[in-house]
Amino acid sequence: MSSTHIPILILGATGYIGGSVLSRLLAHSDAKSFEITALIRSVEKAECLRGFGVKTVVGSTDDVEKLETLASHAHIVFSVVSTDDLPAIQAADKQGYLKSYIILHSLVYGMASGPFVDLGIQNPFSMQIPGLIMAAFDRGHVGMFGKGLLIWPSVHIDDAANLYLILFDAVLANPEKVGHGREGYFFVENGEHTWYDLSKAIGGPFVKAGLSKDSEPTTLTDEELIKYTGSVEIGHKMGSNVRCHANCARGLGWKPTKTNKDMFDNLSLEVSALLNIVQAKQQKAST
């Protein structure tokens, strides 16, 4: 790689996936040639990241003008934020010079780890599995989307984050060999599961911990979907049917190591970690 410094902008740097990507960028063999800038909402988190040599700008993806300026100064942008944030995505694309590479996640599982998690500035939890666990705490019984027959693919957080760096290296090494735009979609998966099997597996640790008498999941009602996901529409979307294969990602040399067995085997750890958080909040509220 050239000794020239490469300006990199990362959005979502303290999020579940974004923090895992940033920690890998900082550990990259060529990290000394990177000039990394992160757009951060929190002043405290921004100050902490500066200690790692990351330049920070306090703001959010709602600050479109600021985002456009930051993107125009970067050679590479890691946008590890919600794909529904259309203005944020457009702010790096309006001039028509962007080569986009889109990573499409399946259900990402496992608790994130690394220096940012240790410091308490990175969210260590995903969405779907912790969401089901937290709902089960509240309702006293594990729930599932619909009849649980629909299928989703899954991938471990470490495998998902590794793909960002594999794609990054491939683009730097020979951008002409890596598809972009319509050809630059990279699915991320390493196995499939039904929602019933996942919810049933969550129910096991609940019974073992004495939090429920039965591990058999029951269907979340429309009222519960609104309560736990925000709306019936979002709930149905989360419990929908998704099928894909990560052929393009594997074609880059991505070799995921975690399987569904790892997802199911580690559910008790997530139940325990989230239960500790819930109990700590309850204790704080009672004092």
Side-chain angles (χ1 to χ4, degrees):
M1 182 183 293
S2 168
S3 59
T4 303
H5 286 290
I6 302 173
I8 297 172
L9 172 65
I10 182 166
L11 310 177
T14 59
Y16 174 62
I17 298 175
S20 299
V21 172
L22 178 57
S23 65
R24 282 161 173 75
L25 275 174
L26 293 172
H28 195 283
S29 58
D30 293 310
K32 290 184 179 180
S33 68
F34 304 157
E35 292 182 346
I36 303 174
T37 299
L39 181 64
I40 303 294
R41 292 177 182 269
S42 164
V43 173
E44 292 76 15
K45 290 183 179 181
E47 290 178 352
C48 187
L49 285 182
R50 291 188 197 112
F52 288 85
V54 178
K55 296 180 179 179
T56 58
V57 175
V58 177
S60 73
T61 54
D62 295 329
D63 303 322
V64 176
E65 290 186 6
K66 182 180 292 186
L67 195 54
E68 287 179 344
T69 300
L70 290 172
S72 69
H73 293 155
H75 289 180
I76 295 173
V77 178
F78 285 85
S79 180
V80 200
V81 293
S82 171
T83 54
D84 294 330
D85 194 344
L86 186 58
I89 299 302
Q90 289 175 330
D93 192 50
K94 286 185 177 179
Q95 304 304 318
Y97 59 81
L98 172 72
K99 287 186 176 181
S100 64
Y101 309 89
I102 299 175
I103 293 177
L104 299 169
H105 292 284
S106 49
L107 182 150
V108 187
Y109 64 87
M111 290 185 290
S113 60
F116 305 136
V117 173
D118 295 340
L119 289 171
I121 64 172
Q122 177 187 349
N123 171 29
F125 296 106
S126 183
M127 293 180 63
Q128 288 107 322
I129 290 177
L132 285 171
I133 292 172
M134 295 300 287
F137 285 146
D138 185 61
R139 70 201 296 264
H141 194 92
V142 68
M144 65 180 174
F145 298 111
K147 296 180 180 179
L149 301 178
L150 299 182
I151 295 172
W152 259 61
S154 58
V155 66
H156 191 273
I157 176 60
D158 290 338
D159 288 328
N162 287 342
L163 176 58
Y164 282 82
L165 275 296
I166 291 172
L167 177 57
F168 171 72
D169 286 339
V171 171
L172 288 183
N174 195 337
E176 301 305 318
K177 285 192 175 182
V178 184
H180 62 89
R182 291 177 63 88
E183 304 301 322
Y185 283 81
F186 299 87
F187 291 108
V188 190
E189 58 75 31
N190 196 37
E192 294 182 323
H193 63 273
T194 65
W195 286 107
Y196 170 80
D197 288 340
L198 178 58
S199 293
K200 175 77 171 179
I202 292 173
F206 266 77
V207 172
K208 188 174 182 180
L211 300 171
S212 177
K213 296 181 179 179
D214 188 359
S215 65
E216 191 69 19
T218 57
T219 298
L220 294 167
T221 65
D222 285 351
E223 290 75 16
E224 288 177 320
L225 291 178
I226 294 170
K227 182 178 182 179
Y228 301 126
T229 71
S231 72
V232 173
E233 181 181 4
I234 294 174
H236 287 169
K237 182 179 179 181
M238 290 179 67
S240 60
N241 200 55
V242 176
R243 314 295 295 275
C244 65
H245 293 288
N247 297 332
C248 292
R250 290 185 172 90
L252 291 176
W254 181 63
K255 298 177 180 179
T257 61
K258 303 292 186 180
T259 66
N260 278 356
K261 183 179 185 302
D262 297 286
M263 178 172 69
F264 293 138
D265 287 348
N266 287 299
L267 286 174
S268 59
L269 295 177
E270 289 203 55
V271 170
S272 178
L274 289 167
L275 178 59
N276 288 338
I277 292 174
V278 170
Q279 291 177 335
K281 287 182 178 179
Q282 291 174 341
Q283 184 176 5
K284 185 177 180 180
S286 64
T287 56

